[in-house]
């Protein structure tokens, strides 16, 4: 049994929950963070000194934090060869894109586009937002070209890398801003939206995160 601490509206919690659901694992989830609070208690900090979500325990194992590390743990421990290729040379071809979206695409999109559009303005105002929107286009085109004609990043089958990449796309596609033309990425997102686990754990309203003026 996995225990997950973290609110359903957190994209980092969503990556973990989506993975758990795709792998068909038993879990219990406790709301923590944002309006639920609970991140500053000594007990929580003992599990996760960052005071962030998600935190996960597998049975009575040591607590884990950092969502992408948790996704990789779950994939390695419970995933089949398609979900977690055992050959490092095959796996790195997926993992480099997972790492890229986490370290390059997601911070750009999250901090410079998502949060400003839901009420946390950038210091540079509308010009900074316009720059960020233009700056995201080449990144989206890179991902579009990598997806190409494949259903998923690894080809025919879903893998751990889709968990880390795909979790970004619900907000990317549902916010109102000028996106690059990316037909392959559009098709990839449409395929993810057909997956019940993605609908349940990633297509979660972010209205409660909106910052009122
Ligand atoms: N790099 C960490 C980031 C964790 C993080 O920033 N979590 C956010 C939610 S997405 C958080 O805990 N925010 C405080 C809160 O929810 O109160 C990860 O991927 O797990």
């Amino acid at each position: 049994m996995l225990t997950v601490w973290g609110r359903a509206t957190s994209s980092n919690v969503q990556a973990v929950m989506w993975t758990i659901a795709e792998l068909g694992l038993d879990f219990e989830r406790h709301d923590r963070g944002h309006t639920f609070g609970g991140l500053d208690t000594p007990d929580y900090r003992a599990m996760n000194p960052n005071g962030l979500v998600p935190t996960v325990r597998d049975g009575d194992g040591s607590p884990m934090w950092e969502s992408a590390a948790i996704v990789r743990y779950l994939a390695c421990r419970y995933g089949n060869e398609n979900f977690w290729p055992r050959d490092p040379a095959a796996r790195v071809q997926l993992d480099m894109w997972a790492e890229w979206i986490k370290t390059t695409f997601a911070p750009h999109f999250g901090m410079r586009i998502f949060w400003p559009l839901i009420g946390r303005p950038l210091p540079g105002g509308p010009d900074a937002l316009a720059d960020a929107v233009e700056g995201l286009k080449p990144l989206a085109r890179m991902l579009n070209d990598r997806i190409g004609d494949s259903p998923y990043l690894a080809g025919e089958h879903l893998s751990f890398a889709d968990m880390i990449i795909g979790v970004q796309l619900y907000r990317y596609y549902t916010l109102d801003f000028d996106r690059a033309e990316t037909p392959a990425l559009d098709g990839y997102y449409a395929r993810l939206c057909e997956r019940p686990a993605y609908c349940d754990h990633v297509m979660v309203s972010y209205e409660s995160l909106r910052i009122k003026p």
Side-chain angles (χ1 to χ4, degrees):
M1 166 74 86
L2 291 154
T3 309
V4 180
W5 290 266
R7 57 189 166 86
T9 51
S10 151
S11 58
N12 292 307
V13 173
Q14 290 167 7
V16 168
M17 293 306 302
W18 180 25
T19 306
I20 289 172
E22 291 288 358
L23 294 174
L25 306 174
D26 288 336
F27 70 91
E28 59 183 32
R29 186 179 63 77
H30 304 286
D31 279 320
R32 292 286 186 283
H34 196 235
T35 51
F36 299 99
L39 304 182
D40 287 329
T41 65
D43 283 355
Y44 192 82
R45 290 286 171 140
M47 291 199 297
N48 184 341
N50 294 298
L52 297 172
V53 293
T55 302
V56 173
R57 288 187 75 183
D58 188 355
D60 57 6
S62 300
M64 299 175 259
W65 38 270
E66 282 300 335
S67 57
I70 298 166
V71 167
R72 291 181 178 100
Y73 164 82
L74 294 171
C76 179
R77 177 115 199 232
Y78 298 110
N80 64 16
E81 176 64 28
N82 291 325
F83 201 80
W84 179 260
R86 264 60 190 178
D87 173 10
R91 194 170 63 242
V92 73
Q93 293 304 317
L94 309 177
D95 208 2
M96 62 194 192
W97 284 93
E99 194 66 14
W100 170 83
I101 201 135
K102 185 85 179 149
T103 59
T104 303
F105 184 102
H108 183 123
F109 171 62
M111 303 314 292
R112 298 175 61 189
I113 298 176
F114 174 76
W115 284 107
L117 286 179
I118 67 159
R120 188 189 292 166
L122 283 173
D127 287 350
L129 178 59
D131 282 352
V133 166
E134 280 312 303
L136 192 65
K137 288 182 179 176
L139 303 182
R141 287 191 201 103
M142 268 176 72
L143 187 55
N144 179 75
D145 293 350
R146 172 61 180 80
I147 300 285
D149 295 333
S150 298
Y152 300 112
L153 197 79
E156 284 303 312
H157 300 285
L158 199 72
S159 76
F160 76 99
D162 296 305
M163 307 295 103
I164 299 168
I165 293 167
V167 77
Q168 296 298 325
L169 298 182
Y170 173 66
R171 293 177 180 184
Y172 175 79
Y173 277 104
T174 54
L175 276 174
D176 186 16
F177 72 99
D178 184 29
R179 286 179 287 274
E181 241 179 77
T182 55
L185 189 61
D186 300 351
Y188 174 70
Y189 174 63
R191 275 187 292 285
L192 297 182
C193 292
E194 287 167 5
R195 303 190 70 88
Y198 190 82
C199 299
D200 288 349
H201 296 289
V202 182
M203 301 177 80
V204 174
S205 170
Y206 42 81
E207 276 311 303
S208 64
L209 304 179
R210 195 174 285 281
I211 296 157
K212 311 282 181 304

